[in-house]
Amino acid sequence: MTVVKICGVRTVEAAVTAAENGADVIGMIFAPSPRLIDISTAQEIAKAVVPAHTKRDPAATTDELNKECNMSAPEYFKACSDKLLSYGRPLLCGVFQNQDLDHILSVVRQVPLDLVQLHGTEPVQMARQIPVPVIKVFHVGADFTVDTAGLFDTGYHSVILLDTKVPAAGAQQGGHGVQFDWTVARSLSDRNVPFLMAGGLSPDNVDEAVKVARPWGVDVSSGVETD
């Protein structure tokens, strides 16, 4: 089964629809973006979709996963992905990009997030300072390799996310509907490392992307928008 993350949800109605249609992870953007969500709406979304969850403690999950950091990268990220999904779905993810740690922690205190996604150039070590499991993005550009520094580091981020680097977008990366070379992602699955994959995915191409790259999950936003 391929995990599906729907990112950039801005309304309760959209979140409920995503949940009813089987979304495994619902992403809400707390970074500067046309998809930016306010705290009160995020809280309402949490109330609407979280009651279906099994009771869980994301902070306890993080502590438990960090104890396994002596595993190999394939073992560690597999353990992380299995543990996260064991808490019921949909999981709620807050997306941030190159923002102060204090801001991230403030949002985590106010919104019952299961995951935080760091979508900028944050150091992987920052994940250790966040009390819920972290998805860390690695932007795929012309000079990218899967051996890039930090990608396979264990004990920090719980999930690897590959997304397209769009030089023209400057600091605001993500959600631009631009694909990258899916064979780059395939090199991760060939090493048995689970990962999320984003970058220009839509109902028209996601099946082919999964066939080529074999990701643990897909992350879509602009490719499924209706407005």
Side-chain angles (χ1 to χ4, degrees):
M1 181 196 74
T2 303
V3 166
V4 176
K5 176 174 178 282
I6 305 296
C7 204
V9 171
R10 290 171 287 176
T11 67
V12 172
E13 293 76 16
V16 170
T17 297
E20 290 176 345
N21 282 278
D24 299 293
V25 184
I26 294 175
M28 300 179 290
I29 309 295
F30 293 98
S33 165
R35 304 178 181 91
L36 176 66
I37 194 170
D38 59 77
I39 293 293
S40 61
T41 303
Q43 291 170 335
E44 290 301 313
I45 287 174
K47 290 177 183 177
V49 302
V50 167
H53 284 19
T54 304
K55 183 175 176 59
R56 65 203 185 286
D57 181 354
T61 301
T62 303
D63 291 341
E64 186 175 343
L65 293 174
N66 286 341
K67 294 176 182 177
E68 309 297 339
C69 62
N70 60 337
M71 291 179 170
S72 68
E75 292 171 330
Y76 174 77
F77 290 110
K78 175 66 163 57
C80 289
S81 58
D82 289 347
K83 190 66 174 178
L84 290 172
L85 293 183
S86 73
Y87 284 95
R89 287 164 271 184
L91 300 174
L92 293 181
C93 177
V95 181
F96 303 85
Q97 187 171 87
N98 297 328
Q99 289 161 284
D100 291 340
L101 177 63
D102 286 346
H103 173 67
I104 296 172
L105 297 179
S106 175
V107 175
V108 171
R109 284 192 294 268
Q110 295 176 78
V111 182
L113 298 175
D114 302 297
L115 294 155
V116 159
Q117 179 172 317
L118 299 178
H119 208 81
T121 57
E122 304 90 351
V124 295
Q125 294 82 2
M126 187 176 186
R128 275 288 184 93
Q129 300 173 277
I130 297 171
V132 299
V134 168
I135 299 172
K136 179 70 182 87
V137 73
F138 294 87
H139 292 109
V140 181
D143 57 350
F144 177 87
T145 74
V146 293
D147 294 309
T148 188
L151 191 147
F152 291 123
D153 288 0
T154 60
Y156 298 104
H157 50 286
S158 299
V159 180
I160 296 166
L161 170 62
L162 299 183
D163 197 3
T164 310
K165 183 176 183 179
V166 183
Q172 189 176 309
Q173 295 291 316
H176 296 289
V178 179
Q179 297 177 29
F180 63 86
D181 181 356
W182 295 336
T183 62
V184 173
R186 177 62 176 262
S187 63
L188 265 186
S189 57
D190 285 345
R191 299 189 190 194
N192 296 315
V193 176
F195 63 95
L196 277 170
M197 175 179 171
L201 299 179
S202 72
D204 295 329
N205 65 18
V206 69
D207 286 344
E208 182 64 17
V210 169
K211 180 179 178 181
V212 172
R214 298 191 305 187
W216 170 68
V218 293
D219 186 338
V220 296
S221 54
S222 59
V224 295
E225 287 183 328
T226 58
D227 58 356

